[in-house]
Amino acid sequence: MAGVEVSIVVPCVGMYEITRRCVDAVMDTVSVDYELVIVCDSPDDRMMEWLSSLALKGMAKLSISPRPRGCATAYNDGIIMSEGRYIAIVNNDCIPLEGWLDALLKVLKEHPEYGWVSSAIVDGGGEVRHGFSACTCCLFTREALDVVGLFDERFSGGMGFEDDDMYRRFLLAGYEPHGVR
């Protein structure tokens, strides 16, 4: 997909219904030229059938692993497979709303010095939060990732903090990551 503007990486560990809801919302709400990269660990037969159909229709690139590898590894697999100038990470338990990507793109295009923007999210209690250091729903510039590097996979052992580490590395590299409401 030469010239694709945005690569959207959706990591998941199985969870067919949740992942399908997320991917459907991504496809319904994105209006720019994009590619979808789904990184799925531990898919069951139903998930594999659905993912295979997306890939056969040219609707998604896939990275499949029979076992969980952790968020940092999943993010990195998706980033490595991606071709976009911008790379979005949308965790599969998110349901993006209309305009989410347009808002993130607008901010990064106006402020490339940010390098990374994160969407506000509504938590289970209905409270709006900036999952800013979290990679729940965020957008990076390829240029910034080339400078900062990929996620540190030492954090993939279930301990988390890969997002906090990445945030710190962005700041140390001179970027100013921001949350977008």
Side-chain angles (χ1 to χ4, degrees):
M1 287 191 170
V4 68
E5 184 171 20
V6 180
S7 297
I8 301 172
V9 176
V10 178
C12 60
V13 179
M15 302 184 347
Y16 170 78
E17 293 293 337
I18 290 170
T19 304
R20 176 114 193 215
R21 203 170 324 139
C22 172
V23 169
D24 287 348
V26 166
M27 289 194 232
D28 289 345
T29 60
V30 175
S31 58
V32 300
D33 179 34
Y34 76 97
E35 68 175 349
L36 180 62
V37 180
I38 301 175
V39 181
C40 186
D41 293 351
S42 303
D44 62 16
D45 291 341
R46 184 177 183 197
M47 179 72 111
M48 275 308 301
E49 183 178 322
W50 173 64
L51 291 173
S52 296
S53 73
L54 289 176
L56 285 171
K57 294 174 189 172
M59 298 171 71
K61 292 180 177 180
L62 305 177
S63 171
I64 308 292
S65 173
R67 62 178 176 71
R69 298 171 290 166
C71 288
T73 301
Y75 297 156
N76 288 345
D77 282 359
I79 292 166
I80 290 165
M81 291 177 67
S82 70
E83 298 178 29
R85 182 171 164 216
Y86 298 92
I87 296 120
I89 293 176
V90 180
N91 284 346
N92 71 319
D93 58 351
C94 290
I95 300 176
L97 302 176
E98 193 68 45
W100 71 275
L101 184 57
D102 295 332
L104 295 176
L105 272 170
K106 181 179 188 288
V107 171
L108 268 186
K109 286 179 177 182
E110 290 175 0
H111 298 281
E113 71 275 12
Y114 293 173
W116 173 12
V117 291
S118 183
S119 177
I121 58 172
V122 179
D123 68 18
E127 187 175 338
V128 175
R129 298 180 185 271
H130 280 289
F132 174 42
S133 72
C135 295
T136 304
C137 184
C138 62
L139 185 68
F140 300 92
T141 64
R142 165 109 27 220
E143 179 181 290
L145 286 172
D146 287 345
V147 170
V148 174
L150 295 174
F151 285 85
D152 186 337
E153 293 185 15
R154 291 178 294 181
F155 292 105
S156 277
M159 69 177 75
F161 303 112
E162 68 280 339
D163 47 2
D164 295 324
D165 173 67
M166 185 64 105
Y167 179 71
R168 180 188 58 79
R169 290 191 293 137
F170 263 72
L171 291 175
L172 290 172
Y175 290 99
E176 304 169 23
H178 275 70
V180 177
R181 186 159 175 118

